[in-house]
Amino acid sequence: MTVPDRVEIDAAGDAVLSADQAASLLGVALPAFLADLRAGIVYSVVERGEGADAGTLRLTLRRRGAERRLVVEAATGRVIGAEPGG
């Protein structure tokens, strides 16, 4: 699992990972990741922090049995935390 230092924040304020970043984060080769993405077995969820977590986004990626989470500063896209999923 390779954790990026930063992710893109789009115009809507959502975190955006490239396919390379997502595949690396999940620990899978890019061709396998893309095949699973096309097959509809890669999922992502972006949650906006509230209260003490305001100003952050939590990005969760799921593929087959793997799940990974990133916590990102919403304003800059800087990754401030990473963990295996639960």
Side-chain angles (χ1 to χ4, degrees), residues 12-74:
D14 290 324
V16 178
L17 290 175
S18 69
D20 286 329
Q21 286 175 316
S24 180
L25 187 61
L26 290 167
V28 64
L30 182 58
F33 173 80
L34 292 173
D36 286 349
L37 188 64
R38 284 188 292 273
I41 58 175
V42 175
Y43 303 92
S44 65
V45 176
V46 177
E47 301 168 278
R48 296 184 191 288
E50 297 178 355
D53 295 321
T56 63
L57 301 170
R58 181 170 62 186
L59 174 62
T60 303
L61 290 174
R62 292 183 186 103
R63 175 195 171 263
R64 299 183 184 259
E67 181 175 290
R68 301 291 182 261
R69 291 190 187 110
L70 294 179
V71 178
V72 176
E73 286 181 341

